[in-house]
Amino acid sequence: MEEYRDLFLAEAREYLQSMTDRLLDMEKDPSAMEHLTEIFRSAHSLKGMAGTMGYELISGLTHKVETLLDSLRGGQIGVETEMVSLLFEAVDLVYLLVDNLDSQAEYGESVAELEQKILAWLDRAQKSERINSKPPLQPPPVEQNDGAVKDKSPDPYQKGQDPQLCEPIDVDTTFNEYEKEMLKDAIVKGESIILIHVWLQEGSLLKSVRAYMVCKAVEEQGDIIKTLPPMPELEEGQFEQDFRLVVVGRPEQEELRRSIEGIAEIEKVQVTSLELELEPQSELAAAAAVVAQPEEAPLPEAPHDLNAQIWEQPHPAASMDNGVAIPQANKVEGTVSTRVLEKTVRVETAKLDTLVNLVGELIINRTRVLELGKRLDDELLEGSLEQLERITTDLQSAVMTLRMVPIKQVFDRFPRMVRDLAIDKNKDVELVISGEETELDRTIVNQVGDPLVHLLRNAVDHGIEMPEERIRKGKSPAGCIVLEAHHEGSHVVVSVSDDGKGIDPELIRQKALEKGIVSKAELEMMDASTVVNLIFHSGFSTSQTVTDISGRGVGMDVVKTAVEALNGTVELKSEKGSGSHFVMRLPLTLAIIRALMVKAGNEIYAIPIEAIRENIYVEPHEIRTVNQDRVITLREEVLPLNSLNERLGMGTFEQQEVYPVVVVRAGNKKAGLIVDDLLGQQEIVIKSLSSFINNIRGIAGATVLGDGRVTLILDVATLLEDGRVSIGKKSTHH
Amino acid sequence: MGKKVLITDDTAFMRMTLRNVLEKNGYEIAGEAEDGQQAVERYEQFKPDLVTMDITMPNMDGITAIKLIVEKNPDAKIVVVSAMGQKSLVIEALNSGAKDFIVKPFQPDRIVEALNKVTGS
């Protein structure tokens, strides 16, 4: 079974997610039955899967959930917040169990507790039902029908010890008057009386249905006049492994045995003639007398019911005319063929990573071969190299799309989180999600969750006001948070917006001064948008009171750091009184990027193309010095210049006739990097630096060039942070 | 040659489990269906010797599928593979023409035995 584990995990999580989504939907619109049906179906499938894997805690718990859902479906209980929370609790616990398959036993107690809670709820619901003097249409769902929980209901039929089953049948004590009449009737007609003893295989489930199948098979050949245990108990599956039937009629004993043995999970069948020890001969004579007036021997109740139930089934439809059936079959085949292929294949992520790595290596070597090819100046070679380049480029983009997953994977957990937070804070919050189908690299999706959690928590905790306050301000009492994602060029933009109180720039100014993040002079230079973005500075927290949710001393700088680690940027647009709008820009992928190769000193560096606004050449006379900083005026904008060599501590600024300058941008900061030479663009495969050097500011990673040289990739965001930059002035061009 | 089986279940996990068990025991998998609708279509397409049928499925449930299949193919051999606690549904399925049933979670030898009995092999 271990081999199915991954598939089980993946599918189980899908079902749990679907349950979470639908539970939220159901809470919003309790009248829509389709949600309940879906939740039920998910729980049901999960139960079946878990059972097959032998995860009894999961199957047991989902079974209880199903029972609870069933009573909802039957309308015995209404949808209440408390109950939805109970169901959520169950979903959470199953999540835990699924996530910790190897240590499930540790959760046994929690599972038992929760099951008790569910049972208590059901109990209460039934009682209140009774108080309303409306007896439920159906008996409340109980466990006794179910093999898995059979040991809970007291079973009077101890295996192998039941006198009724194992001792020879004594006509006097076993049969009631009606049944005796039936027996006599049979004897008079010359029919045989047969005792069938059926043993089910150990661990058979749905024993009642098994028994039903046996009865059905037997009824085709004779009449069952008695069952041991009695029919109601047989129908409820209240027997151990075996049961007996008394049949009258003219069946072939061998035939009877064969048809019963043809049913699954039958361990053993014993068919014997019942030697009735009818005492005085006179009884038989009496029986014969009775036969003369058959009306006086009414059919006993139980077998009659059984008959009705068994003959209810429709007989198989008469076979169809072939001439009609064949064309139909062909028609169906035509429409089916397009659907035969499965749409998706599950692949281990490790395999994908290997593939991406290999393609990366291929790209590096392609670059190398292309370089060599240029040197040879051979027309034929050039042609095939071009072809090679095209194909590898296509291959690369195809492979990259394999790694793309919808951001839904991350978004999915937020509705639930926001709901819980809002309840916890006594706020009324609606979360609107859009663009969840937007795809981006798996590695990014995996890491974008934490910053989003932070932003959403902040929005619920600090952004959205209490309902009373909102009403006072003329807003609707329910706050709204919009989580949105969309593609923008080679980026994905994820935004979190709320219609809460927004961020007061004045408050930020005070705090920033208080904490010494900026000087007064600097502050005066900043516009409002720059000021609010100061909250991303480390150690900045505006929360007046430390709260459970977002006041753990972790500020927005955590968000910023996380996003920058992904080569992304985060920005805040806020207006006091009308909410905040956080915008994260993330690259589509981290593995292979396009970069501009530049030379500075004796080294070649790669600058990610995303960070570059433009390349310009600057002549010495254009450079001015302001506060000892070199700046130029570029389209009426002051642009600080940094010598890359100097910034990286690799050399000093040297006078030249003309300076190649790369204008880079990160967030709303811009600066020019003076380099020695621009070498052109190329694809580079990002290799992360090993852990002991991976936190160097200004360096994002390394790559291997076509000629085998190792080159550092610049991290523009941190480079700008430490250097001279112009901030607050949005570039006038895009 | 092994008997051809059409596996019907809405969970890929169950289909894979069944496929493995059956293949190990000499059955040939004619195809898989994810819901009742597909099962009906693929029955016509593949004409399997045997169908395993889940009951609770989206689009079309197993009982409806059984009825449709049996209506056209009175001799169709369908074995219900259902989860626990679906007693009435299983009985309905049997009355609709299913030949036998097994209960999830099943033991591999049980399902094989059930299918062998139904196909008479």
Side-chain angles (χ1 to χ4, degrees):
Chain A
M1 278 295 164
E2 283 310 294
E3 58 202 283
Y4 311 132
R5 204 178 154 121
D6 288 345
L7 185 56
F8 170 82
L9 282 174
E11 244 181 342
R13 291 198 178 108
E14 272 172 30
Y15 283 122
L16 287 168
Q17 184 60 52
S18 152
M19 284 173 78
T20 306
D21 293 347
R22 293 291 186 153
L23 278 170
L24 289 167
D25 290 343
M26 185 174 82
E27 200 176 22
K28 274 187 208 145
D29 181 10
S31 62
M33 286 303 279
E34 73 263 22
H35 300 313
L36 186 56
T37 311
E38 269 306 304
I39 299 166
F40 191 86
R41 205 166 60 76
S42 296
H44 187 76
S45 299
L46 199 53
K47 182 179 78 171
M49 283 162 54
T52 305
M53 291 294 286
Y55 301 144
E56 279 163 21
L57 283 175
I58 299 178
S59 62
L61 182 55
T62 42
H63 180 72
K64 290 281 183 308
V65 167
E66 234 187 314
T67 314
L68 187 57
L69 291 168
D70 209 33
S71 58
L72 265 181
R73 205 151 62 158
Q76 288 152 17
I77 336 178
V79 177
E80 292 167 42
T81 309
E82 201 186 325
M83 204 213 44
V84 174
S85 293
L86 192 62
L87 286 167
F88 269 134
E89 225 177 289
V91 168
D92 284 348
L93 193 50
V94 177
Y95 255 125
L96 263 179
L97 289 167
V98 167
D99 287 342
N100 302 282
L101 286 178
D102 292 324
S103 49
Q104 287 180 71
E106 287 169 27
Y107 299 94
E109 221 163 279
S110 331
V111 171
E113 249 169 58
L114 189 57
E115 287 184 349
Q116 279 311 311
K117 263 167 131 178
I118 294 176
L119 287 179
W121 184 278
L122 281 168
D123 209 38
R124 217 162 355 133
Q126 276 159 25
K127 272 186 194 130
S128 68
E129 192 68 35
R130 261 174 234 137
I131 289 165
N132 294 340
S133 75
K134 267 191 285 172
L137 287 175
Q138 286 179 332
V142 280
E143 316 305 332
Q144 61 197 20
N145 300 355
D146 228 297
V149 270
K150 60 173 187 286
D151 39 359
K152 282 191 184 165
S153 59
D155 196 328
Y157 299 98
Q158 293 290 313
K159 193 186 179 186
Q161 288 169 14
D162 179 40
Q164 267 193 305
L165 286 173
C166 289
E167 277 168 23
I169 287 177
D170 172 61
V171 176
D172 253 2
T173 53
T174 309
F175 298 102
N176 62 28
E177 287 311 307
Y178 284 131
E179 289 157 358
K180 280 180 189 163
E181 289 300 327
M182 298 274 288
L183 288 174
K184 285 175 198 161
D185 188 22
I187 293 168
V188 169
K189 284 196 221 154
E191 292 175 345
S192 41
I193 300 168
I194 296 166
L195 177 68
I196 304 173
H197 197 162
V198 180
W199 285 266
L200 298 184
Q201 283 173 355
E202 197 129 347
S204 279
L205 297 168
L206 282 185
K207 291 185 292 186
S208 53
V209 187
R210 225 24 103 191
Y212 168 74
M213 283 190 79
V214 171
C215 291
K216 195 174 128 185
V218 169
E219 283 280 331
E220 283 173 11
Q221 301 173 51
D223 295 326
I224 300 172
I225 62 161
K226 173 97 184 159
T227 68
L228 296 169
M231 193 46 96
E233 282 165 35
L234 209 57
E235 279 177 349
E236 289 303 325
Q238 288 174 357
F239 57 95
E240 271 300 325
Q241 294 315 124
D242 60 337
F243 57 92
R244 290 194 285 187
L245 307 170
V246 178
V247 180
V248 297
R250 300 173 203 276
E252 279 288 321
Q253 291 197 13
E254 192 47 32
E255 181 62 33
L256 258 182
R257 198 178 55 77
R258 253 206 311 276
S259 59
I260 298 171
E261 277 178 345
I263 297 167
E265 298 192 348
I266 300 293
E267 178 77 45
K268 197 170 94 180
V269 185
Q270 224 175 50
V271 182
T272 47
S273 293
L274 189 59
E275 300 303 332
L276 282 184
E277 293 140 25
L278 288 174
E279 302 109 42
Q281 197 64 20
S282 60
E283 278 234 3
L284 257 182
V290 171
V291 173
Q293 309 121 350
E295 280 85 358
E296 284 179 29
L299 286 172
E301 276 304 309
H304 189 74
D305 283 346
L306 182 73
N307 281 344
Q309 192 185 10
I310 283 165
W311 291 117
E312 227 174 43
Q313 59 153 123
H315 289 280
S319 63
M320 239 182 170
D321 188 335
N322 267 349
V324 179
I326 288 166
Q328 266 185 349
N330 285 346
K331 198 171 122 213
V332 171
E333 202 167 341
T335 56
V336 162
S337 56
T338 51
R339 291 175 58 185
V340 172
L341 288 175
E342 300 293 337
K343 273 194 208 136
T344 55
V345 177
R346 282 180 205 266
V347 181
E348 254 175 72
T349 50
K351 287 184 188 166
L352 274 187
D353 289 344
T354 312
L355 188 60
V356 169
N357 263 332
L358 287 173
V359 169
E361 300 292 333
L362 182 67
I363 298 288
I364 290 172
N365 278 285
R366 173 193 73 182
T367 316
R368 177 104 214 253
V369 172
L370 288 181
E371 260 169 40
L372 294 174
K374 270 183 210 145
R375 281 194 222 165
L376 291 174
D377 198 20
D378 179 304
E379 210 172 287
L380 275 176
L381 179 65
E382 217 166 276
S384 54
L385 281 180
E386 259 172 38
Q387 184 74 3
L388 177 72
E389 186 171 10
R390 245 197 323 277
I391 294 171
T392 45
T393 305
D394 288 351
L395 175 66
Q396 183 202 334
S397 52
V399 165
M400 292 326 285
T401 59
L402 290 185
R403 281 169 58 107
M404 303 293 259
V405 289
I407 200 162
K408 185 175 188 314
Q409 290 190 355
V410 182
F411 282 8
D412 271 350
R413 58 194 235 228
F414 294 140
R416 170 74 198 284
M417 186 190 90
V418 168
R419 169 197 183 264
D420 288 356
L421 279 176
I423 290 177
D424 194 45
K425 298 263 106 191
N426 288 322
K427 290 179 183 179
D428 202 351
V429 182
E430 191 194 353
L431 178 67
V432 179
I433 291 181
S434 72
E436 71 243 60
E437 69 288 340
T438 309
E439 289 190 325
L440 70 172
D441 196 275
R442 191 173 52 79
T443 49
I444 298 177
V445 165
N446 289 345
Q447 289 169 56
V448 81
D450 288 345
L452 280 176
V453 166
H454 209 88
L455 290 179
L456 286 169
R457 286 187 155 182
N458 267 322
V460 177
D461 199 21
H462 304 308
I464 305 291
E465 310 91 331
M466 299 300 285
E468 316 82 73
E469 196 182 333
R470 289 180 65 88
I471 293 170
R472 237 188 350 264
K473 288 178 178 171
K475 298 178 181 180
S476 83
C480 182
I481 298 176
V482 179
L483 177 60
E484 199 267 336
H486 66 268
H487 279 290
E488 209 177 277
S490 60
H491 279 89
V492 168
V493 176
V494 183
S495 62
V496 176
S497 318
D498 66 67
D499 65 349
K501 55 175 173 264
I503 288 168
D504 184 357
E506 206 37 58
L507 207 65
I508 306 278
R509 278 199 186 93
Q510 284 172 23
K511 283 264 177 177
L513 277 177
E514 230 170 77
K515 306 213 170 184
I517 290 166
V518 284
S519 70
K520 201 155 191 174
E522 280 174 306
L523 253 186
E524 273 160 16
M525 299 272 290
M526 293 177 176
D527 56 18
S529 133
T530 316
V531 169
V532 292
N533 276 287
L534 283 173
I535 66 161
F536 291 114
H537 252 276
S538 54
F540 201 106
S541 176
T542 55
S543 77
Q544 302 278 0
T545 52
V546 171
T547 70
D548 176 38
I549 296 167
S550 42
R552 291 205 180 102
V554 221
M556 297 296 288
D557 61 312
V558 174
V559 174
K560 192 182 174 206
T561 313
V563 172
E564 279 176 358
L566 297 170
N567 269 337
T569 58
V570 58
E571 245 184 292
L572 165 62
K573 291 167 190 164
S574 177
E575 225 165 280
K576 194 190 170 190
S578 62
S580 321
H581 181 59
F582 287 92
V583 182
M584 283 166 46
R585 287 171 61 86
L586 301 163
L588 280 178
T589 177
L590 287 179
I592 301 179
I593 58 163
R594 231 180 144 66
L596 175 72
M597 311 307 291
V598 300
K599 193 161 178 264
N602 293 321
E603 292 293 324
I604 292 175
Y605 299 95
I607 306 176
I609 225 78
E610 313 298 341
I612 299 175
R613 307 311 299 172
E614 61 185 315
N615 301 319
I616 51 172
Y617 286 93
V618 175
E619 288 175 30
H621 68 86
E622 291 176 82
I623 301 178
R624 292 177 291 132
T625 308
V626 177
N627 296 337
Q628 296 177 325
D629 289 344
R630 280 182 287 270
V631 298
I632 53 163
T633 308
L634 181 64
R635 287 185 288 273
E636 297 171 1
E637 207 181 293
V638 177
L639 183 77
L641 291 182
N642 296 272
S643 156
L644 184 58
N645 242 347
E646 225 173 29
R647 277 288 296 112
L648 296 173
M650 297 296 287
T652 48
F653 179 70
E654 280 167 35
Q655 294 291 331
Q656 274 171 252
E657 272 174 36
V658 63
Y659 302 102
V661 170
V662 182
V663 181
V664 289
R665 188 195 150 182
N668 53 0
K669 296 174 186 168
K670 274 209 310 184
L673 294 175
I674 302 174
V675 298
D676 292 345
D677 204 357
L678 303 172
L679 302 176
Q681 294 184 19
Q682 73 176 66
E683 303 284 333
I684 56 167
V685 181
I686 301 183
K687 306 270 179 191
S688 53
L689 299 170
S690 57
S691 58
F692 66 100
I693 47 168
N694 74 353
N695 268 327
I696 303 174
R697 292 187 73 78
I699 305 295
T703 188
V704 184
L705 297 183
D707 58 5
R709 264 195 295 177
V710 173
T711 285
L712 293 174
I713 303 163
L714 299 183
D715 178 2
V716 170
T718 51
L719 207 57
L720 292 193
E721 214 155 86
D722 302 344
R724 288 180 287 268
V725 293
S726 77
I727 45 175
K729 294 182 188 77
K730 282 269 166 62
S731 67
T732 47
H733 53 276
H734 281 281
Chain B
M1 201 166 106
K3 303 267 190 200
K4 289 192 300 175
V5 186
L6 174 67
I7 296 174
T8 313
D9 202 300
D10 59 331
T11 70
F13 168 79
M14 269 298 161
R15 292 197 303 273
M16 183 165 121
T17 312
L18 277 167
R19 172 182 278 271
N20 276 298
V21 168
L22 297 185
E23 276 177 347
K24 270 183 203 149
N25 286 279
Y27 282 91
E28 187 191 329
I29 308 304
E32 295 181 4
E34 290 171 26
D35 57 42
Q37 183 66 42
Q38 279 187 7
V40 174
E41 287 164 6
R42 285 177 193 178
Y43 188 90
E44 295 307 322
Q45 187 186 358
F46 301 131
K47 295 284 180 207
D49 301 305
L50 200 61
V51 183
T52 74
M53 184 71 72
D54 185 17
I55 293 184
T56 325
M57 289 182 292
N59 301 329
M60 183 194 286
D61 63 41
I63 291 173
T64 315
I66 292 171
K67 285 180 183 156
L68 288 173
I69 293 174
V70 171
E71 192 186 331
K72 277 198 196 168
N73 312 272
D75 297 327
K77 293 194 170 69
I78 304 173
V79 173
V80 171
V81 180
S82 107
M84 315 182 281
Q86 291 191 306
K87 185 177 138 192
S88 54
L89 287 175
V90 173
I91 291 184
E92 197 184 339
L94 291 170
N95 286 339
S96 305
K99 294 282 187 255
D100 209 327
F101 75 97
I102 39 174
V103 181
K104 293 187 267 196
F106 52 77
Q107 288 152 4
D109 49 328
R110 289 283 168 88
I111 174 123
V112 172
E113 185 215 312
L115 297 194
N116 287 347
K117 278 183 170 176
V118 168
T119 55
S121 55

